[in-house]
Amino acid sequence: MTNLEDWIIDQGLHGSDMSSLLSGFAERLDAEGIPLVRAYIALPTVNPTIRVYTHVWTRSAGTVVEGVSHERNSEAFEVSPFAYMMRTEQENCHWHVHGPDGDRFSIFEDIRRLGGTDYLARLISFGNTSAPDLRGFGASFSSSRPEGLRPEEVARIDRLLPLLGLAAYRMTLFDLTVAMLDTYVGLSAGRRVLRGEIRRGSGTTLTAALLFADLRGFTALADRSGMDLIGRLDQHLEAMAKPVEEQCGEVLKFMGDGVLAAFPISEHRSFEEACAAAIRAAQMALERNEAVNRQYETPLSLDIALHCGDVFYGNIGAAGRLDFTVIGPAVNEASRMEALCSALDCSVILSDRVASVSPVPVRSLGSHRLRGIAAERELFTFTAG
């Protein structure tokens, strides 16, 4: 094998990102005497917000990576070379961007501006039935030679593309695993799973400020027919979750129309700082929830409880279906505090621990008995709330 083939294999085993893979591949082809001006790889994904990642290498800019959302540029794709190849069931095409084919696709104008003369396009199939949306990838290469890529250069690229595809597939699956874990179980929990903390019952005890939020009136609204409840619910949940992220907390779980979030206390963030972050997140969530309500005739109030304590953070569930979550008395108390918001006619309830370090004025709501807890608890709310 040549040095380039060895390098691709090494990247497939040890490489970390597609940007470096494409840059190294294009630069090594250029060093072999193939005068590339542009190389391109498009990789589909099952990311809930990104449809495809495009990677474009040029001599001047190196590799630029862009995530294309599900909503964006669908029409642009339909008039692209790759869409044409898929419609006509072709895996290999080679066009010259000057002459009769020069206006066939809009991308050819970009190639000409770079000093390119041709457009070699390939579709590489992964053939994975368990992940049908990861069908494969599209690749293109353009040279600066007046007559374009020579037959032996095209053959060279075609021999290397299966190796490049294997390396890209490994990187794509790893990135997909990380993205899915981050999206569905959370950043911290996802990293714990990747570190091998996957046994049932394994986990750790941590101290954190907790935010428990729930929409008031959503169940009654859900009983009505003909409403786009999922779309609206997503807006409300975004209003709750985004402030948590902005305040360096983590959403641990979406529970129907509610959210459980944590702001861990550590050597890097004190008890006071964690509680203050939770309070800021609660204030921001209330404001953003009201902004969502202004779009609809029927408003949905947001109830929030803020508490602090020790929780168990780890794997619970059945042998074949685990959930990475938090449990413990502090979680139960936060849930039962939130349930009192309606009866106490306030949007936010704070435990005495959180209230004691609140950066904003609070007032006492008196002592109340929480279901399942013997001793009464003094509860607080914001002075203006």
Side-chain angles (χ1 to χ4, degrees), residues 327-369:
I327 58 174
V331 177
N332 297 335
E333 286 195 39
S335 173
R336 288 155 190 172
M337 288 165 52
E338 181 275 325
L340 290 176
C341 284
S342 179
L344 297 178
D345 191 27
C346 57
S347 298
V348 180
I349 292 179
L350 297 80
S351 67
D352 57 350
R353 291 197 68 195
V354 177
S356 68
V357 294
S358 174
V360 299
V362 298
R363 60 182 175 85
S364 175
L365 294 168
S367 296
H368 297 269
R369 188 175 300 280

Side-chain angles (χ1 to χ4, degrees), residues 34-111:
I34 301 178
L36 295 180
V37 297
R38 184 181 185 271
Y40 170 90
I41 289 179
L43 280 161
T45 181
V46 292
N47 186 294
T49 58
I50 302 298
R51 174 172 55 87
V52 64
Y53 282 101
T54 63
H55 309 75
V56 181
W57 174 89
T58 59
R59 288 178 182 273
S60 59
T63 297
V64 177
V65 181
E66 182 182 11
V68 180
S69 69
H70 291 276
E71 297 78 19
R72 207 191 89 198
N73 285 350
S74 58
E75 293 182 2
F77 174 75
E78 289 304 315
V79 295
S80 71
F82 293 110
Y84 165 80
M85 293 169 68
M86 292 173 68
R87 286 194 300 270
T88 57
E89 298 183 347
Q90 298 184 71
E91 295 181 347
N92 309 308
C93 284
H94 192 188
W95 293 280
H96 289 271
V97 300
H98 298 281
D101 286 329
D103 296 326
R104 187 161 192 169
F105 302 105
S106 60
I107 185 63
F108 289 176
E109 178 59 31
D110 295 338
I111 303 303

